[in-house]
Amino acid sequence: MNKHALITGVTGQDGAYLAKLLLDKGYRVYGLVARRSTDTSWRLRELGIASDIEFIEGDLADACSVQRAVIKSRPDEVYNLGAQSFVGSSWDQPVTTGIVDGLAVTHVLEAIRQFSPESRFYQASTSEMFGLIQAERQDESTPFYPRSPYGVAKLYGHWITVNYRESFNLHASSGILFNHESPLRGIEFVTRKVTDAVARIKLGKQKELRLGNIDAKRDWGYAGDYVEAMWLMLQQDQADDYVVATGRTASVRDMCALAFEHVGLNYQDHVVIDPRFFRPAEVDVLLGNPAKAQRKLGWSARTTLAELVAMMVEADLRRVSKE
Ligand code: GDR
């Protein structure tokens, strides 16, 4: 019998890679998708899996549709990846972000509790919960201090996951993932904004790249590696919380230098600092300690930042040259 998985946010970067991983393992994959006027399934098409997923129309903010999706998919595993995931937008839409990234996690947990209590649950938590860091290397016991409406909302999602595990004995795990990027990253995130611009500048279609705080430091990994950690969490006998990170940190400036160097250019000739891209409150540095994931899941990041940047620049060169 094939296992069933339900993924919210299946059309996002992580949803696409996770769906591919699960399909390759023989799962039947259901995806909760909100109706949008724009086409959001380009990532699934790029991975060649768009027709292998069973889509269920619904919205995380609508508890009825979440219940219907859980009942219909009869999931062994539920991965809650759906979110308003752009930190910058969370200051413009603080309440929507709070509902979708925070409260709506309870919709999923309640649907599982009432209709499918044997389902295993994964919550997409985030290093943004550490925000103003309280320890040099952040692990599962580091106190949280979110710095954006996004981080605040995600903190609710994290704690309600822990609470439902402790209150109702659900197999509910929270993956505290540090930044993870790929050629399928949305263009609004800094790594993809940079690699897309590098391709355009190299091919003579753009001259400059406007960025905000390039001294911010992040622990950057490859999304393709990180979805394996999600799956591994749900294969454990006990549900738990895990930091998923590379254990290395680099600045946006370092990342830019790598991307421009990959095509033989110098970032200093093209990057312009634009105050529009600064945030009302910034997370200056993140550095994860993935020791627990290594020890208990046997997981570690395989892709270096240089390899990741090269992969992204190459993909954008191919895309831009086809336009
Ligand atoms: P982040 O990712 O906020 O860490 O959250 P993002 O790529 O947006 O920003 C990273 C850092 O780069 C700085 N920065 C810029 N960022 C953007 N987007 N655009 C710019 O022009 C720019 N210039 C500088 C930012 O200020 C920031 O410090 C990501 C998201 O995927 C979250 O959903 C996820 O939870 C976390 O990673 C882990």
Side-chain angles (χ1 to χ4, degrees), residues 13 83-88 124-128 150 154 177-181 185 187-193 209-218 220 252 274 277-279 282-284 286:
Q13 168 189 264
Q84 190 300 95
S85 65
F86 184 44
V87 174
S125 290
T126 161
S127 52
E128 280 296 297
Y150 169 83
K154 279 285 184 179
L177 269 56
F178 283 60
N179 297 54
H180 43 289
E181 319 293 313
R185 196 50 150 147
I187 201 88
E188 66 273 34
F189 300 94
V190 76
T191 54
R192 181 72 206 297
K193 182 174 170 182
L209 165 60
R210 306 186 83 84
L211 294 174
N213 174 19
I214 62 172
D215 292 315
K217 295 173 105 179
R218 290 291 184 274
W220 271 305
V252 174
D274 185 334
F277 296 108
F278 281 82
R279 294 174 177 178
E282 178 63 289
V283 172
D284 294 320
L286 290 171

Side-chain angles (χ1 to χ4, degrees), residues 23-36:
L23 287 165
D24 289 345
K25 290 185 185 295
Y27 281 64
R28 196 156 165 178
V29 176
Y30 295 82
L32 183 77
V33 280
R35 256 191 88 77
R36 296 269 183 272

Side-chain angles (χ1 to χ4, degrees), residues 12-48:
Q13 168 189 264
D14 295 4
Y17 283 117
L18 179 66
K20 172 96 172 68
L21 178 89
L22 296 176
L23 287 165
D24 289 345
K25 290 185 185 295
Y27 281 64
R28 196 156 165 178
V29 176
Y30 295 82
L32 183 77
V33 280
R35 256 191 88 77
R36 296 269 183 272
S37 48
T38 49
D39 173 32
T40 53
S41 56
W42 63 273
R43 295 183 176 92
L44 301 175
R45 284 199 305 277
E46 275 211 25
L47 296 182

Side-chain angles (χ1 to χ4, degrees), residues 262-290:
H262 187 75
V263 296
L265 297 173
N266 182 344
Y267 81 96
Q268 287 167 318
D269 298 334
H270 303 280
V271 170
V272 176
I273 302 303
D274 185 334
R276 273 190 307 145
F277 296 108
F278 281 82
R279 294 174 177 178
E282 178 63 289
V283 172
D284 294 320
V285 54
L286 290 171
L287 171 59
N289 176 2

Side-chain angles (χ1 to χ4, degrees), residues 162-199:
V162 173
N163 181 259
Y164 267 56
R165 179 169 74 221
E166 294 175 353
S167 304
F168 304 115
N169 204 23
L170 294 188
H171 194 295
S173 294
S174 175
I176 306 173
L177 269 56
F178 283 60
N179 297 54
H180 43 289
E181 319 293 313
S182 76
L184 301 186
R185 196 50 150 147
I187 201 88
E188 66 273 34
F189 300 94
V190 76
T191 54
R192 181 72 206 297
K193 182 174 170 182
V194 169
T195 60
D196 173 72
V198 162

Side-chain angles (χ1 to χ4, degrees), residues 11-323:
T11 55
Q13 168 189 264
D14 295 4
Y17 283 117
L18 179 66
K20 172 96 172 68
L21 178 89
L22 296 176
L23 287 165
D24 289 345
K25 290 185 185 295
Y27 281 64
R28 196 156 165 178
V29 176
Y30 295 82
L32 183 77
V33 280
R35 256 191 88 77
R36 296 269 183 272
S37 48
T38 49
D39 173 32
T40 53
S41 56
W42 63 273
R43 295 183 176 92
L44 301 175
R45 284 199 305 277
E46 275 211 25
L47 296 182
I49 56 171
S51 56
D52 301 327
I53 293 166
E54 302 189 38
F55 296 104
I56 301 176
E57 201 177 303
D59 192 306
L60 278 172
D62 181 335
C64 306
S65 70
V66 174
Q67 285 175 10
R68 209 169 47 81
V70 166
I71 292 167
K72 192 168 174 195
S73 59
R74 290 180 291 111
D76 297 284
E77 298 169 10
V78 179
Y79 295 87
N80 186 37
L81 312 185
Q84 190 300 95
S85 65
F86 184 44
V87 174
S89 293
S90 75
W91 280 279
D92 299 323
Q93 298 189 46
V95 176
T96 303
T97 305
I99 292 170
V100 176
D101 299 11
L103 276 180
V105 181
T106 317
H107 290 158
V108 187
L109 286 162
E110 260 304 300
I112 291 173
R113 182 172 85 88
Q114 292 188 47
F115 303 107
S116 188
E118 297 304 313
S119 297
R120 296 183 171 195
F121 175 75
Y122 173 85
Q123 168 60 14
S125 290
T126 161
S127 52
E128 280 296 297
M129 301 188 308
F130 294 122
L132 188 65
I133 53 167
Q134 304 292 300
E136 198 180 327
R137 278 160 64 89
Q138 301 88 55
D139 65 19
E140 295 77 5
S141 60
T142 304
F144 299 118
Y145 193 138
R147 292 272 280 172
S148 63
Y150 169 83
V152 173
K154 279 285 184 179
L155 198 50
Y156 176 94
H158 171 73
W159 280 119
I160 200 70
T161 301
V162 173
N163 181 259
Y164 267 56
R165 179 169 74 221
E166 294 175 353
S167 304
F168 304 115
N169 204 23
L170 294 188
H171 194 295
S173 294
S174 175
I176 306 173
L177 269 56
F178 283 60
N179 297 54
H180 43 289
E181 319 293 313
S182 76
L184 301 186
R185 196 50 150 147
I187 201 88
E188 66 273 34
F189 300 94
V190 76
T191 54
R192 181 72 206 297
K193 182 174 170 182
V194 169
T195 60
D196 173 72
V198 162
R200 286 177 196 283
I201 291 168
K202 181 68 183 173
L203 297 171
K205 299 192 175 191
Q206 187 174 319
K207 286 220 152 34
E208 61 177 31
L209 165 60
R210 306 186 83 84
L211 294 174
N213 174 19
I214 62 172
D215 292 315
K217 295 173 105 179
R218 290 291 184 274
D219 181 327
W220 271 305
Y222 170 48
D225 293 345
Y226 284 36
V227 296
E228 290 177 19
M230 298 178 186
W231 177 77
L232 283 167
M233 284 177 217
L234 299 206
Q235 311 315 306
Q236 307 305 306
D237 290 339
Q238 297 292 326
D240 205 345
D241 307 320
Y242 296 90
V243 157
V244 177
T246 68
R248 289 181 296 274
T249 192
S251 66
V252 174
R253 185 191 296 278
D254 298 333
M255 185 270 151
C256 273
L258 282 171
F260 279 91
E261 270 163 27
H262 187 75
V263 296
L265 297 173
N266 182 344
Y267 81 96
Q268 287 167 318
D269 298 334
H270 303 280
V271 170
V272 176
I273 302 303
D274 185 334
R276 273 190 307 145
F277 296 108
F278 281 82
R279 294 174 177 178
E282 178 63 289
V283 172
D284 294 320
V285 54
L286 290 171
L287 171 59
N289 176 2
K292 180 176 172 184
Q294 271 161 12
R295 196 173 63 248
K296 295 208 165 168
L297 305 177
W299 179 91
S300 54
R302 285 193 300 264
T303 312
T304 66
L305 181 60
E307 288 166 345
L308 173 62
V309 168
M311 183 194 324
M312 293 176 70
V313 171
E314 288 298 324
D316 278 319
L317 284 168
R318 281 195 297 277
R319 285 188 186 120
V320 175
S321 55
K322 271 197 217 138
E323 277 174 5

